[in-house]
Amino acid sequence: MNLGNKLPECYFHKATGYLCPACGNTRCIKALFKGHVLEALEYNITVPMLIIIAGMFYVEAVFYSFGKKVRIFPRSYVLLGVLLGSLPLYYVMRNILPFLTIC
């Protein structure tokens, strides 16, 4: 089944010619389901990054359910600032540097 025919076009990309933050998410998830991790990272890095962070929190929750408090994901304002600051930078830079995406 081809999802591209069933989903609407990106109105931001259609109007401006630039990639929006969500451009490539569907292709990224399809590539992940096929096991093509590097290809998924080329479409959009957001989804794999969120999956890794969610997996870390899930492992912490599993350990916590067995009575063991383990911190895998660091709780730091510096890390949070780097993550939240790097995403907008990535979204802008992938429109400027074509090697950051294969859309």
Side-chain angles (χ1 to χ4, degrees):
M1 178 161 86
N2 188 0
L3 288 176
N5 297 335
K6 306 216 183 302
L7 298 173
E9 290 183 57
C10 177
Y11 298 117
F12 182 82
H13 181 60
K14 187 176 180 182
T16 64
Y18 294 114
L19 299 172
C20 76
C23 281
N25 281 345
T26 304
R27 289 172 291 200
C28 175
I29 292 171
K30 286 173 61 175
L32 284 174
F33 281 145
K34 292 178 182 177
H36 304 293
V37 178
L38 293 177
E39 183 180 341
L41 288 172
E42 290 175 350
Y43 285 126
N44 196 336
I45 199 168
T46 309
V47 174
M49 188 174 74
L50 289 176
I51 290 172
I52 290 170
I53 292 171
M56 293 169 127
F57 282 119
Y58 179 75
V59 170
E60 286 182 5
V62 168
F63 276 105
Y64 185 73
S65 69
F66 289 109
K68 199 161 186 140
K69 191 169 184 166
V70 175
R71 298 275 180 168
I72 296 173
F73 189 80
R75 273 46 168 206
S76 160
Y77 288 117
V78 173
L79 177 66
L80 184 63
V82 168
L83 287 176
L84 293 178
S86 63
L87 281 177
L89 182 65
Y90 165 73
Y91 296 140
V92 171
M93 293 306 292
R94 75 183 191 149
N95 283 307
I96 297 170
L97 303 172
F99 66 85
L100 289 176
T101 185
I102 58 174
C103 292

